[in-house]
Each structure stands twice: as structure tokens, then as C-alpha cells.
Amino acid sequence: MSISAQEAHYGFTERWLPRLVLAPSFLLTLIFLYGFIIWNCYLSFTTSRLMPNLTWAGLAQYQILFENERWWVAVKNLFIFASLFIGSGMAIGIGLAIFLDQKIRGEGILRTIYLYPMALSFVVTGTAWKWMLNPGLGLEKLMHDWGFIHFTFDWLVNSEMSIYTVVIAGVWQSSGFVMALFLAGLRGVDDSIIKAAQIDGASLPRIYWKIILPALRPVFFSTLMILSHIAIKSFDLVMALTGGGPGFSSVVPATFMYAMAFTRGQMGVGAASSMMMLATVAALVVPYLYSELRGKKNG
Amino acid sequence: MANTLGRILIYTVLCLTAFYYLLPLYVMFITSVKGLEEIRSGNLLSFPTDISFAAWGKAWSSACTGVECRGLSSYFYNSVRMVIPGVLISTALGAINGYVLAKWRFKGSEIIFAMILFGVFMPFQVLLLPMAQTLGWMGIASSTTGLVFVHVVCGLASTTLFFRNYYVGIPDELIKAARLDGAGFWRIFFKIILPMSTPIIMVTLIWQFTNIWNDFLFGVVFSAGDSQPITVGLNNLANTSTSVKEYNVDMAAAIIAALPTILVYVFAGKYFVRGLTAGAVKG
Amino acid sequence: MKKLKVSLLAASFSIAFSVHAADVEVLHWWTSGGEAKAAVELKKMLEAKGHKWKDFAVAGGAGDNAMTALKTRVVSGQPPAAAQIKGPSIQEWGDEGVLASLDDVAKKEGWDKLLPPVVANVMKYKGSYVAAPVNVHRVNWLWVNPELFKKANAKVPTTWDEFFKAADALQKAGIQPLAYGGQPWQDATVFEAVALGVGGSDFYKKAFIQLDPATLQSANMIKVLTTYKKLKPYTDKNAPGREWNLATSMVINGKAAMQIMGDWAKGEFLAAGKVPGKDFLCVAAPGTAAAYTFNIDSFAMFKLPNKDAEKGQKDLAVTLMSPEFQEVFNLNKGSIPVRQGMNMSKFDDCGKKSAEDFKATSAKGSLLPSWAHGMAMHSATQGAVADVISQFWNNDSMTAQQASVKLAAAAKTK
């Protein structure tokens, strides 16, 4: 039944109560989300430096932004980090979920072990991994002590490779969540389809590939959205793990915005950079939401 | 035969992976019980020769986080005071929002949902300054109330999403039948919907608890001395640099800070998965 | 019903945790050993005057997190009473119109007579005092482990040429010559010392205070950059991200022979029980004996809505400049008093030398603000310039020529 047809059956209270109930949250969102975005947008067109001010500056801040080398390093890093983080996180998560779905003994314990990193704050994760990946104290020293004298793992202190250490720590933290989502999804797949395929003689890997994974499309998309938003927002992790270094080789847009707005007294540039971040997020999310809504209307 | 080989392979992979996941926690823990000399001379994985929990005591009650040297204990309680209202309020709001958006749709409610949903993807740094200004006007800046408010506003999108997706899976017939029996909006919610909501309430509580407890950015920016949460305390403690960096105290402090959320996942993890299975984030 | 309970809960929270009127809230990031001890002294003295110290410590990033917290507080209309702000940032904050005037205190205590003009000007905004200085740090120090030098039969260097000779000798003896911490501000600190030693005071003034583009791209600058990069092979692989005091402890423990760092390093030596002149030496960074780059910590006072708190602020300012505080604080922190005319007998030889050089260079015109520590440029410019230096240090494919061009571009940042 369509919404308006439904509505026609409502009594007076029923027509207004839902709106009333939703109103506070909607208002909060309007003011604190969209209002602030507009405020921030305006700020990006002002000459704000240490504190916000209202002097118009046109596109000056955006120009400064686009000429800033640190910004482009941040953007590049975001692409590298996001694609590797999402890709490996998905792959590992799905793999673990499939394995765990095989009626394993001790599934409960294993599941908890894979899931607990999500409980940690990124600050804790970054600190722990920073220590483990430190050449003088962590993994490299361990290998040396074990006799592998020529083993090197200095990614953390290498300008070229520092962003990849953020991937390692990030994947460690989030792949358990992917696993949980896919495990839930796998459990929801109808057994009879699988049994029918098995009777037809298909091997287990083939069944997964051809039947089960395609059936999990909705879970793929939800996971993709959640991982993307974690990737874009990554701030705590980078700050704790590398601080953006060595130099500024591992900065990401979130840390760039923070530095500009708060540390460097270039608030206008910071606002411009967060508008860019927002635009990227919107470009990814709005089509998804649109398809969601359209799907629901038909469903 | 192939099956057994396959099983062995699966178990091996799972166990190796478990090792990779547990490694950092193991390292953190054994470092926290070692003496400083041992940490410097030994290596990451070496088992402590002498186990001492002195570092834990120091982290809790006497480590320096600035001029104060009272350890993490007061920050811990600040976090508790902030998390409980934050989690409860945002979950409650999410529940009724989800209820409306799933079962009492009206013209424009889908658009409202989409608008609220966009909040899930917002980078939070954008909010800092305007939020500070607004909290100032409201008179609750730098206080636990202010922090709770911020967390509720920012958590609204996720909690609404979770509940709405879950409630969509509840058959409309149930509602219709209840209405035929004369039940109204609230009655249906409390008598029918809520009792069925345990899995999703668990998921939301766990999710919100984790996010709010672990938040650092809002904590450092919207709090003052007596409302600073434990993440801020941990940061001050760990960044307290003396020529003798007390790794064991740092690690103990990090584990103390992480303990509540870890325990939540250990004990309530299965509800989390169950809740997800029941449709928290299904497309 | 739930909502009513919740709002009652919220109301009770806000009543329980509202800020008391007479508290003096102080924002700082002194959470390390020697610094925290010094801060405790300040707290004790303030409380002896009858006020309550409300600690607002935010560690990390040498003030980055603290500055964020400060900005949000100011924006929300609830600034702390005092915040650890130094250098041109004081003027930047003054521009925003949020600082409170300390002229009445300054006049009563005679600050104009107690502070050298180069310092007093930084503490003023448009002629009014808005901040109280706490100490004077000398940045261009070289800290030396004499035992290691003896072992390698090397001479403590006074010029950069001598430095490299000594470094080679040390390396041959299997000793790491330079302890280094790879963080942007440390990169800038070492670079600044090289620039001063290779280029001289006038070069320094033109390049970093006047930001003259020609000087920034000159052959002299390229020579400075090359010398700076030449230091890298004498440091160790684990330098990136290392905290300054961990580098100092390398020198303390005999793992490295030298460190180029400001005088707060002395605090670490003293805390480890080392004796200056015997266990460690403090000499001017190579080539800079006749110059002095200073870093002055100060507390800026914010306009407060509350009159009671203002009294606390004024008392804080008086305390900061008092001889008792200046002595006890600087003894703990490793710096020297900024208040002139103090009795320096309790200070060790390094401190005494610092005070003498401060007076001497002030008369000669080679008393220079340390740009690496935010004393010479606006935060935006300083950040951009430090970025270039860090990049140059970490990226082996960048040439000195390219770096100098980037420096000139960075200096244009407003």
C-alpha cells in the first residue's frame, strides 16, 4: 500500500503524533548537521585565520588549498588508504566469515577474538601498533633477536611507506566487524538453495562464489558504506600511529583540516578542506541513498 | 580425505588469524607487567621474568596527567558519567525514530530519513567550532552535559538507522491487527514493538557505548578539568614525556581505558552478532 | 516520562559541575617530568594567594591539542583565565579582541624596567601588556657527552667544519655522533641552528624574520640546506617520530655523543643526576657562540565575564613575574629567569652562561627570536616553512635548490 493510502486510514492523533515524535530529531539534525555545514561553507569563503570572522574572501582559501602540497599528499593518501583499507578489510572479513560459517568448534571464542579490536579506540590501536612497528623496539628488533638479521621492516619511519602502516593497523581494527556483518548475512541465506546446488554436484567454493556471495549484495553495500565512512573520517588512527609523519608523508584530509583550522591559524583553509571532504562523501553517499530510497518505494 | 584436508586448512587459517588479532593485546599486556629495565633490554614478545602489577596501580592512581598526578581514576568516572546518559538517550531516540520511520510513514518521511542518515557520514571535525559556539550559547560548554548532548546529536543518525532497518523487518500485519483492536501509537510501541526489540537494542547499546567511550576529539574539545573523559586522560598520560618513558604504565593505562569496551564485546558479543543477523544493517 | 527523568538528570549534572567563580583556570601542556614539577610550583604559589588553580592540561603535539581546546573554548564564550601562548601568536589572539590588559599589574610591578624591550614587545598588544613571560630558553645549544668524545679522541666542535670532523672520528670509534628526534619542530630546531651557524645573525634576520625571498633562495641558503642534510648519515634509523627527551637520554646513556636542542634538555640531564661540566657539556651550537636564539614561554590572559576571576588573573600575572617564582620555576625547567637583575647564584654553569650571553647578545643585536619555536613568524607561515624543512630532511630525492624555492614560497603564507 502506498504511503498516502496508508495515511488515509489514520485518525487525527495518528497523523500528527509520528511527525511530532520525529520532529525533535529532525530539528536537531537540521540545526546541528545542515546548519553547521552551511556555517562551515560560509567560513570557507571568509578570511578566517585564528578564529572565525565574517570578512568575505571569495575563492581565496580554495586557491590556497589547491596550491598546498600537503593537501594533495593528504588526498593521495586517502585514496591509497581507503582502497587498501576497504579492499583488504572486505577480503579478510568475508574470508573469515566463510571459514567461520563451516560449523567450526570454538566459533564463539574465535568470533570474540576477531571482534574485540573494534572495541578499542583508535588512539589505543595507534599507540599499540606504533610500538610494534617501530624498527628499534618492535617487529624488526624481534626478528633480529630471533636471528633474522637482515630482516627490515621500517615502513613506519619511511616516507614512502608510512601510509601503509596505517592500513595495517586500520584493517586489524575493522575487519572483525566486516566478518560479523557477513557472518550474519551468511546465516540469513536460505539453506535449501545451497542444498539444491550441492545435490546438483557443485563444489563448496563454487557455491559460495556463484550463489551465496551474490545473494549478499545488500550486506556488501552496507559494509562498503560503513568502511568508507571510517576511512574518510580517519583521524585518531593517523594521529596516534604516525602523527602524519615522517615529515607529512602520512597526512590525510581529516588531519590536514585539523592542523589548518586549529594549529596553524588558517581556519579558512581548514573550512575549505572540510567542504572538499564533505563533497567527496556526498558524491559517494547520495547516489547510494537515492538507490536505497528508490528500492524501498518499490519494495 | 579432501574434506579433512580442507578442515585442517580452515582451522590453521583461523588460528593464525586469531594470533594476528591477539598479538597487540598480548604485547600490551606483558609490557604492562614488566619492569622498565626488562622492556628496554628484552624484545616485544619476551615473556616477563618478574610479573608486577605496580604499573597498573600507578596508571590508576598516581601517574601524572599534567599538574595533577592522580592517575586515570577520575577520568574513568567522568567517562562513565558521560557514557551512560549518552547511550541511553541516543538509543531511546533512535528507537522511536526508527519506529516512526518504519511503521508510521507519512509524506516526506523517507526524505527526512535520508537527511538524518547523511549524518552517519559527516566528518566530525567540521562540527567542532560551530558546536562550541552553540554549546556556549546554551550555557553547557565544557561540561559533561555538553558532551552528552554532542554525543546524542552525533549518534542519532546511526541509532535511527539501526532501529529503522530492524523494524522494517517486522510484518506490518502485526501493527494493523493491533490497530484493529484499538491500540494507539504508544501502546503498539510499548506492548508490541519494544518487547521484540532486544537484539537491536543490544546492537545499538554496544555500538553507541563503544563510540562514545572511545571518542577523543569531542572529549578534548568540549570538556574541562572535571569532565574530561578517559581518552583525554590517557593521551595526557602517554604523552607525558620524561627521559624515562614508562612504557609499562602507558600500556597499563591503555588497557584500563579499553577494558570496559573489551568486556562489553567479550560478554555481549554474541548479542551483537545476533542483532546484526536480525537485520540491523541489512540493505 | 523518560524524557522528564532525563532532563532532571541533565540538570543535576550541570549544577554539580558548573565552574566556580573564583577558580583560575590555566591551560597548559606541561605534562612531562621537569615541566610538571615546575607547574606544580606555580600552582602552590597561586593557591598561597587564596585562589584555586583549575588545571586544564592537554598534552600532545607540543600544544596542538591544547590550541584546539583553547579555540573551541574561546568560541563558546568560556575562555580559560590564562593559556600558555607565546610569540607572535599573542598578537594574533590580540587581533581577535579576546585578551585582557595587564597594564595595571605591569605598572605596579615595573615590568618595563624588568624586561628587555625585545621581550616586552612580544608581551604587549598595541602597547598594552596582555601576557606575562615565564622564562627564557636558549635554543642554540649543543649538548655533549665528554666521555664519548674522549673515547674517540675527538674535539668538541665550535664550527660546522669541526663538527663534521668530530662526527667522523666518533663514527670511526663506533659511536653514534648525533642523537636526533624526527619530528617537524625538532627538524626545524636543528635546521635553525645550522642556518645561524653557517649564515650568521644578519642572514638569519633577513631570512626568517623579514622573510626576504631573495635571501631564502640565495646561494647561502643552499649552503645551509646542504650542511643540514649532511647531518643525516650521522643519525640513526629510528629517529623518525622520536620524542626530544628520548634523544636526550641517548646522550645521557652514552648511546650518542651530541644533541642539538634547546636548554630544556638540561632538565633531563639534571633529572638523571648528571653534573654539568663533568657528565655533560653545554656549548653553543657550532658557529653560534656570538648569537642567541630565544624561546620564551608566556601566559596570555583572556577577558573574563567574571570580576572575581579577574583578580585571580592579576595575581597569577604578579606571581609569574615574581623573583621567587622565576627562580624556582627556572631551576626546575632548565631555562633562565626572564626577569632581569636576578641573583643567578643558584643556577648551574649552563644557566649562568645563558644569562651572560643573553645580556651580551642583546647589546650586540644578535639576540634573535627562534622561528622554530614560534617566536618570529605567524603560526601559518611557521607551519609551512617547517613543512618544507621536514620534507627536505625526510625525502632524499629533493635537492637543496628545490627546497630553497619551496622555502621562498612557504614564507609567503599568511
Side-chain angles (χ1 to χ4, degrees):
Chain A
M1 204 190 311
S2 70
I3 296 180
S4 27
Q6 267 185 322
E7 275 203 81
H9 287 253
Y10 290 173
F12 180 76
T13 345
E14 287 176 341
R15 207 174 290 220
W16 286 107
L17 206 46
R19 284 169 228 252
L20 229 59
V21 164
L22 207 52
S25 304
F26 182 54
L27 241 87
L28 282 177
T29 309
L30 220 53
I31 300 174
F32 289 95
L33 188 65
Y34 295 98
F36 285 178
I37 292 180
I38 296 176
W39 188 95
N40 193 68
C41 186
Y42 185 73
L43 213 61
S44 67
F45 293 114
T46 66
T47 59
S48 302
R49 290 191 43 226
L50 203 65
M51 299 272 287
N53 70 45
L54 297 175
T55 324
W56 183 259
L59 289 172
Q61 305 285 26
Y62 286 92
Q63 199 174 1
I64 299 178
L65 181 69
F66 292 137
E67 283 169 8
N68 187 313
E69 196 178 331
R70 205 177 154 121
W71 167 251
W72 292 111
V73 172
V75 171
K76 179 186 87 160
N77 280 343
L78 185 62
F79 276 112
I80 296 178
F81 173 67
S83 46
L84 286 175
F85 171 71
I86 296 175
S88 345
M90 284 273 224
I92 296 180
I94 294 177
L96 286 177
I98 293 179
F99 279 5
L100 275 186
D101 196 31
Q102 305 305 314
K103 301 196 201 349
I104 304 287
R105 273 210 304 227
E107 179 193 312
I109 299 182
L110 281 173
R111 212 182 40 216
T112 309
I113 293 179
Y114 298 143
L115 208 50
Y116 93 86
M118 254 202 78
L120 302 176
S121 77
F122 276 121
V123 173
V124 172
T125 306
T127 315
W129 278 97
K130 176 159 117 176
W131 206 43
M132 296 202 327
L133 295 178
N134 182 311
L137 292 168
L139 190 62
E140 198 178 277
K141 178 159 188 282
L142 180 68
M143 287 294 160
H144 290 186
D145 285 352
W146 281 359
F148 300 102
I149 318 186
H150 297 294
F151 179 84
T152 51
F153 195 82
D154 61 352
W155 287 10
L156 190 66
V157 298
N158 185 328
S159 303
E160 306 285 311
M161 306 299 283
S162 52
I163 188 68
Y164 298 104
T165 58
V166 186
V167 174
I168 294 178
V171 168
W172 176 83
Q173 173 128 11
S174 308
S175 41
F177 184 62
V178 177
M179 174 215 73
L181 285 175
F182 274 94
L183 195 57
L186 283 173
R187 295 275 154 87
V189 172
D190 206 345
D191 262 345
S192 47
I193 308 179
I194 305 178
K195 289 228 182 51
Q198 277 180 320
I199 292 177
D200 279 346
S203 69
L204 212 49
R206 242 184 106 85
I207 294 180
Y208 270 105
W209 189 250
K210 289 269 175 200
I211 301 178
I212 299 187
L213 288 184
L216 291 179
R217 257 179 75 120
V219 190
F220 262 106
F221 279 118
S222 301
T223 317
L224 191 65
M225 285 300 124
I226 293 183
L227 286 182
S228 315
H229 116 260
I230 293 181
I232 294 181
K233 285 205 213 170
S234 283
F235 173 78
D236 300 358
L237 184 59
V238 176
M239 291 306 272
L241 187 61
T242 63
F248 54 80
S249 54
S250 60
V251 292
V252 291
T255 59
F256 178 87
M257 182 259 171
Y258 184 81
M260 283 297 145
F262 295 103
T263 320
R264 302 243 180 137
Q266 285 183 286
M267 206 166 273
V269 178
S273 67
S274 51
M275 288 314 291
M276 295 308 298
M277 276 169 74
L278 219 56
T280 316
V281 168
L284 291 173
V285 165
V286 169
Y288 171 60
L289 287 182
Y290 186 64
S291 70
E292 258 271 298
L293 281 183
R294 267 204 329 161
K296 277 293 164 291
K297 266 207 200 104
N298 298 338
Chain B
M1 188 52 197
N3 217 7
T4 333
L5 208 59
R7 302 291 292 180
I8 296 180
L9 179 67
I10 292 180
Y11 274 103
T12 319
V13 169
L14 287 176
C15 286
L16 281 179
T17 326
F19 181 66
Y20 163 62
Y21 279 95
L22 284 175
L23 196 58
L25 193 63
Y26 170 73
V27 167
M28 281 169 65
F29 185 72
I30 53 166
T31 309
S32 71
V33 294
K34 283 187 198 169
L36 278 176
E37 263 317 302
E38 230 194 300
I39 297 179
R40 258 198 293 265
S41 53
N43 67 44
L44 258 202
L45 294 183
S46 54
F47 207 74
T49 50
D50 242 331
I51 298 193
S52 140
F53 282 93
W56 287 73
K58 185 151 185 211
W60 180 254
S61 53
S62 56
C64 292
T65 56
V67 161
E68 313 287 335
C69 288
R70 287 177 291 125
L72 285 185
S73 44
S74 55
Y75 295 99
F76 190 88
Y77 297 124
N78 289 345
S79 277
V80 170
R81 272 197 298 262
M82 165 190 74
V83 165
I84 294 183
V87 172
L88 292 179
I89 300 176
S90 54
T91 306
L93 282 178
I96 50 175
N97 288 347
Y99 174 52
V100 167
L101 288 170
K103 295 293 165 220
W104 291 88
R105 288 178 297 174
F106 49 88
K107 205 142 83 127
S109 65
E110 287 300 283
I111 308 246
I112 294 184
F113 175 50
M115 287 182 76
I116 295 183
L117 194 54
F118 188 71
V120 171
F121 302 97
M122 254 269 286
F124 286 149
Q125 289 85 3
V126 178
L127 290 183
L128 290 184
L129 288 177
M131 182 66 84
Q133 216 159 18
T134 318
L135 288 180
W137 287 337
M138 291 165 68
I140 52 173
S142 327
S143 66
T144 309
T145 317
L147 265 180
V148 171
F149 181 78
V150 175
H151 283 300
V152 166
V153 168
C154 292
L156 215 50
S158 312
T159 57
T160 306
L161 172 67
F162 288 160
F163 277 98
R164 182 259 188 198
N165 276 4
Y166 181 78
Y167 287 154
V168 159
I170 294 183
D172 285 341
E173 283 68 38
L174 236 63
I175 316 287
K176 261 192 270 209
R179 291 186 58 225
L180 280 172
D181 281 344
F185 183 87
W186 288 115
R187 246 185 105 106
I188 298 180
F189 182 66
F190 284 110
K191 291 276 175 203
I192 300 180
I193 301 287
L194 217 44
M196 295 175 70
S197 308
T198 318
I200 195 61
I201 292 181
M202 294 305 297
V203 169
T204 313
L205 287 178
I206 294 174
W207 179 260
Q208 281 298 88
F209 183 82
T210 310
N211 285 344
I212 299 180
W213 183 271
N214 285 337
D215 157 75
F216 173 70
L217 197 56
F218 292 155
V220 83
V221 155
F222 294 125
S223 68
D226 49 17
S227 52
Q228 285 180 320
I230 199 168
T231 42
V232 177
L234 178 63
N235 174 59
N236 280 2
L237 193 152
N239 275 315
T240 294
S241 35
T242 347
S243 35
V244 184
K245 199 166 176 79
E246 296 185 305
Y247 290 108
N248 47 2
V249 178
D250 289 353
M251 292 295 152
I255 298 183
I256 291 177
L259 219 45
T261 43
I262 292 183
L263 288 177
V264 163
Y265 272 84
V266 167
F267 291 120
K270 64 169 180 268
Y271 295 109
F272 192 69
V273 181
R274 217 177 276 174
L276 288 179
T277 315
V281 207
K282 271 214 266 263
Chain C
M1 190 53 205
K2 217 182 247 186
K3 287 211 174 123
L4 182 62
K5 270 199 226 152
V6 156
S7 43
L8 281 178
L9 214 56
S12 60
F13 281 158
S14 48
I15 293 173
F17 299 112
S18 53
V19 177
H20 284 289
D23 288 352
V24 181
E25 194 178 15
V26 185
L27 170 66
H28 66 94
W29 55 90
W30 283 330
T31 52
S32 98
E35 299 175 332
K37 259 208 283 181
V40 168
E41 294 303 321
L42 183 59
K43 173 178 176 192
K44 282 201 272 207
M45 287 189 191
L46 188 67
E47 298 198 326
K49 285 205 159 89
H51 301 282
K52 194 154 141 27
W53 169 288
K54 193 159 181 277
D55 198 39
F56 186 10
V58 182
D64 286 356
N65 290 338
M67 284 303 112
T68 308
L70 179 62
K71 288 203 176 92
T72 39
R73 289 288 226 96
V74 173
V75 162
S76 75
Q78 284 196 0
Q84 198 181 334
I85 305 179
K86 61 182 182 183
S89 296
I90 297 178
Q91 276 71 42
E92 283 183 86
W93 281 102
D95 281 335
E96 300 291 336
V98 294
L99 296 181
S101 164
L102 292 171
D103 277 343
D104 45 357
V105 172
K107 213 177 283 184
K108 192 153 145 269
E109 303 282 314
W111 283 8
D112 276 330
K113 280 201 229 66
L114 294 169
L115 298 170
V118 69
V119 174
N121 287 336
V122 178
M123 300 297 128
K124 290 189 190 161
Y125 178 69
K126 294 221 166 88
S128 275
Y129 276 99
V130 288
V134 163
N135 57 13
V136 174
H137 282 294
R138 183 181 196 172
V139 182
N140 57 325
W141 279 121
L142 179 72
W143 303 95
V144 170
N145 184 322
E147 208 186 294
L148 294 178
F149 265 76
K150 222 190 304 176
K151 228 192 270 187
N153 229 336
K155 180 169 127 21
V156 176
T158 56
T159 68
W160 282 104
D161 285 332
E162 286 179 21
F163 179 91
F164 289 109
K165 266 211 227 54
D168 285 329
L170 286 160
Q171 246 183 0
K172 233 191 272 189
I175 303 170
Q176 183 182 325
L178 190 62
Y180 197 87
Q183 293 177 328
W185 72 270
Q186 293 189 60
D187 296 333
T189 305
V190 176
F191 175 76
E192 177 182 272
V194 175
L196 191 58
V198 171
S201 304
D202 287 327
F203 170 78
Y204 183 96
K205 275 190 220 165
K206 275 219 202 72
F208 303 116
I209 304 180
Q210 292 163 13
L211 296 171
D212 172 43
T215 318
L216 289 167
Q217 294 193 328
S218 63
N220 230 351
M221 181 56 83
I222 297 187
K223 185 153 158 245
V224 167
L225 286 162
T226 322
T227 314
Y228 174 61
K229 198 62 191 280
K230 238 173 100 173
L231 290 171
K232 198 156 181 200
Y234 298 107
T235 65
D236 69 309
K237 207 166 57 141
N238 294 326
R242 178 186 285 136
E243 301 283 339
W244 67 271
N245 51 333
L246 295 180
T248 314
S249 68
M250 287 172 75
V251 180
I252 297 178
N253 296 320
K255 299 256 176 47
M258 300 181 273
Q259 188 192 17
I260 299 174
M261 186 49 64
D263 59 17
W264 45 89
K266 191 180 67 172
E268 302 298 313
F269 283 100
L270 296 178
K274 301 294 180 190
V275 177
K278 200 162 60 108
D279 302 316
F280 70 95
L281 302 175
C282 53
V283 295
T288 68
Y292 193 112
T293 43
F294 66 82
N295 174 15
I296 295 182
D297 287 316
S298 50
F299 281 93
M301 307 291 171
F302 282 84
K303 285 198 193 125
L304 293 174
N306 190 309
K307 289 299 166 205
D308 289 331
E310 262 183 35
K311 176 100 185 23
Q313 263 180 340
K314 307 265 193 249
D315 283 343
L316 180 65
V318 172
T319 313
L320 288 171
M321 276 291 285
S322 67
E324 303 81 32
F325 173 75
Q326 290 276 322
E327 189 180 83
V328 107
F329 180 84
N330 287 297
L331 280 173
N332 271 307
K333 198 161 188 306
S335 42
I336 58 172
V338 64
R339 183 189 173 110
Q340 296 302 291
M342 296 252 327
N343 184 330
M344 295 293 293
S345 54
K346 284 215 196 110
F347 287 81
D348 59 48
D349 289 333
C350 293
K352 288 199 188 107
K353 187 161 185 311
S354 183
E356 286 162 14
D357 286 347
F358 185 75
K359 253 208 292 257
T361 53
S362 173
K364 259 195 296 188
S366 52
L367 179 62
L368 307 160
S370 162
W371 74 265
H373 291 266
M375 303 302 297
M377 304 170 195
H378 280 214
S379 44
T381 325
Q382 193 242 7
V385 173
D387 272 349
V388 175
I389 302 299
S390 254
Q391 223 195 350
F392 178 62
W393 176 263
N394 285 299
N395 188 339
D396 286 332
S397 59
M398 192 191 276
T399 68
Q401 172 73 16
Q402 290 169 326
S404 70
V405 173
K406 287 206 180 155
L407 273 181
K412 293 213 194 74
T413 319
K414 289 241 180 302

